Amino acid sequence: MILKNKLTKETLDIPYSEFRIRFAKEIQDAFESYRKTQLNKYSWNFKDDNSLEFNFYFQLQWNFNQFGNSVWYIERM
């Protein structure tokens, strides 16, 4: 994965497993924001949080970049 800092333009090239560890809080914040947004739009469509989580990780790059509040963004997976 290649991550880029929005402020300093610093680039990180890390494996997915390290990304999950280093950015656990940012991923959780992005998921909560995504969850709230989706439940407001399509609450009838989701039977449980597992389908929400699956959809979030299926498009992780876009969801992390759009719903996250991090100075880092995923440039490439």
Side-chain angles (χ1 to χ4, degrees):
M1 287 185 107
I2 298 176
L3 285 92
K4 197 166 194 176
N5 189 309
K6 295 175 188 174
L7 303 175
T8 63
K9 306 299 184 212
E10 178 186 356
T11 303
L12 285 178
D13 189 4
I14 58 175
Y16 178 71
S17 56
E18 187 178 335
F19 168 74
R20 292 286 307 258
I21 293 168
R22 280 180 77 171
F23 294 94
K25 184 182 179 318
E26 287 89 347
I27 293 170
Q28 185 62 35
D29 291 343
F31 176 70
E32 288 302 318
S33 178
Y34 171 81
R35 183 177 173 276
K36 288 177 187 174
T37 302
Q38 294 303 314
L39 287 176
N40 284 336
K41 291 195 291 189
Y42 309 111
S43 62
W44 54 270
N45 195 21
F46 296 107
K47 294 176 181 42
D48 58 15
D49 279 345
N50 291 336
S51 57
L52 278 171
E53 191 170 2
F54 173 78
N55 290 337
F56 175 79
Y57 284 107
F58 184 71
Q59 297 180 335
L60 177 64
Q61 181 176 358
W62 194 89
N63 289 326
F64 182 82
N65 292 343
Q66 300 303 317
F67 292 104
N69 237 1
S70 178
V71 296
W72 293 92
Y73 68 95
I74 301 172
E75 188 171 70
R76 195 170 355 144
M77 290 186 78

